[in-house]
Amino acid sequence: MSEKLLPKQFINLSSVISRSNSPIGIFDSGIGGLTVVKQFLACLPEEKIVYFGDTARVPYGSKSKATVIKFALQNLRFLLQFDPKLIVVACNTISALALPLLRKETSLPVIGVLEPAVAKALEITRNQRIGIIGTIATIRSKAYFHLIYRRRREISFFARACPLFVVLVEENWLKGKIVEDICHYYLKELKKNKVDTLILGCTHYPLLKKIIRKEMGRKVSLVDSAEEVVRMSKEILKEGKLLVSRTKPAGHHFFFSDEVPNFRKISRQFLGRDFKAKIIQVDQNV
Ligand code: DGL
């Protein structure tokens, strides 16, 4: 039914319906954000996803704040063209460094991965000792620290940058002696400090969960920011009556700023479906 034919009181409802069928825009510095996509496909399978991964300029984790903000704004503007109903910043580094500026750029809800992960960590810690691991830029920003302290001052907080973890995951080195040694090297202080909750503050780290769990021990709870951001997104969509009303399966789109070798294979193995990557340039309009 066209909007013109609707009685006035239904016009808003019609815009809500059309908005609810809009996609969820998700972006990351590269392919790591697929850990977030995976959770969306599992928990909100009817939602349409438009993903952008800045594979031409990854990694962001070793870049300056100014550069990360510039790239993040370009990525956001690219996704806004698809008229999304929600923007999810899958990248921890961008969430830590650029979220307030991204939120100024649009009136849409923009969710980063930090807030949901912190909420979960505060909910489950028993001894009030929380650890966080992430990229150099994320740890240097102290964004997790500030979020935690704003909510609960008595928390003891321990942070460690683990830059080699991204490289290991990109190389698909997820087990074996070298990986275990690196894991031990990075995590030993956190263990010594008796954290009972560890936030995996980077898109890539959920893929090393097994080995991190082995190093930290079963008593330490691992918080996967990918799982938590999907939980929070669902709540926001539900509250805003924006959950999709579509019944037929959604067609997702995956855009990247440079070639992703074997994307089809990666998507088949990791997301369980054969998605196609589209290459696009996003840095020319800013
Ligand atoms: N996506 C980044 C993050 O979650 C990791 C990769 C990078 O350094 O760009 O922090």
Side-chain angles (χ1 to χ4, degrees):
M1 200 189 299
S2 106
E3 206 163 84
K4 271 189 207 147
L5 298 174
L6 284 170
K8 220 175 172 191
Q9 69 267 35
F10 288 120
I11 289 180
N12 281 346
L13 180 63
S14 111
S15 72
V16 166
I17 289 170
S18 61
R19 203 56 199 253
S20 68
N21 284 339
S22 293
I24 296 174
I26 304 178
F27 73 97
D28 178 48
S29 55
I31 61 165
L34 295 180
T35 51
V36 171
V37 172
K38 188 178 169 136
Q39 296 299 331
F40 267 99
L41 295 180
C43 302
L44 293 168
E46 296 85 17
E47 297 291 345
K48 178 181 172 135
I49 289 166
V50 180
Y51 180 88
F52 175 72
D54 196 4
T55 43
R57 303 185 291 196
V58 70
Y60 283 17
S62 50
K63 293 190 169 64
S64 69
K65 183 172 178 172
T67 300
V68 172
I69 288 173
K70 182 173 126 192
F71 292 174
L73 285 169
Q74 291 170 344
N75 302 343
L76 171 69
R77 285 172 197 148
F78 169 72
L79 280 182
L80 290 179
Q81 296 175 72
F82 296 89
D83 193 25
K85 58 184 174 187
L86 173 74
I87 294 285
V88 176
V89 183
C91 179
N92 276 261
T93 304
I94 301 174
S95 302
L97 271 59
L99 206 62
L101 284 160
L102 295 173
R103 285 182 173 152
K104 273 195 190 149
E105 185 74 12
T106 170
S107 56
L108 291 173
V110 180
I111 314 186
V113 272
L114 272 62
E115 284 153 351
V118 163
K120 181 72 182 181
L122 290 176
E123 183 194 317
I124 62 177
T125 181
R126 290 146 309 190
N127 69 0
Q128 313 302 316
R129 299 173 81 79
I130 296 178
I132 154 80
I133 49 175
T135 63
I136 293 172
T138 297
I139 301 302
R140 204 186 281 148
S141 75
K142 294 197 167 72
Y144 272 104
F145 170 86
H146 291 304
L147 269 180
I148 288 179
Y149 268 74
R150 212 178 298 146
R151 286 173 175 80
R152 205 181 291 166
R153 293 209 169 254
E154 64 274 23
I155 291 283
S156 298
F157 178 81
F158 306 90
R160 179 72 163 105
C162 309
L164 286 178
F165 278 180
V166 168
V167 183
L168 292 172
V169 172
E170 300 265 325
E171 289 297 318
N172 205 18
W173 273 26
L174 307 179
K175 54 185 181 193
K177 171 99 173 74
I178 295 174
V179 188
E180 278 173 21
D181 287 350
I182 294 172
C183 210
H184 174 71
Y185 174 78
Y186 280 147
L187 303 182
K188 61 180 189 278
E189 283 301 312
L190 295 170
K191 213 170 152 182
K192 216 186 277 168
N193 281 311
K194 298 199 172 358
V195 300
D196 75 349
T197 304
L198 178 63
I199 300 175
L200 308 181
C202 175
T203 44
H204 291 55
Y205 299 179
L207 288 154
L208 291 168
K209 229 185 223 173
K210 256 192 198 159
I211 219 144
I212 293 173
R213 181 161 286 134
K214 196 170 159 199
E215 176 62 31
M216 296 303 292
R218 297 236 142 241
K219 287 195 183 133
V220 175
S221 310
L222 304 183
V223 177
D224 181 338
S225 39
E227 282 172 16
E228 298 315 315
V229 77
V230 176
R231 213 189 308 274
M232 193 174 267
S233 301
K234 195 171 176 179
E235 274 169 32
I236 288 175
L237 291 175
K238 210 166 162 185
E239 227 167 81
K241 298 197 175 13
L242 284 168
L243 282 167
V244 78
S245 55
R246 186 189 305 112
T247 47
K248 59 177 191 210
H252 308 297
H253 292 286
F254 291 87
F255 294 96
F256 296 95
S257 51
D258 201 357
E259 303 286 337
V260 183
N262 301 322
F263 181 69
R264 274 205 140 124
K265 193 170 153 206
I266 295 171
S267 77
R268 200 177 317 127
Q269 282 176 353
F270 189 63
L271 301 176
R273 261 180 278 170
D274 211 353
F275 293 115
K276 219 172 124 188
K278 297 179 191 101
I279 311 301
I280 194 94
Q281 265 193 315
V282 294
D283 56 347
Q284 289 172 342
N285 52 349
V286 186

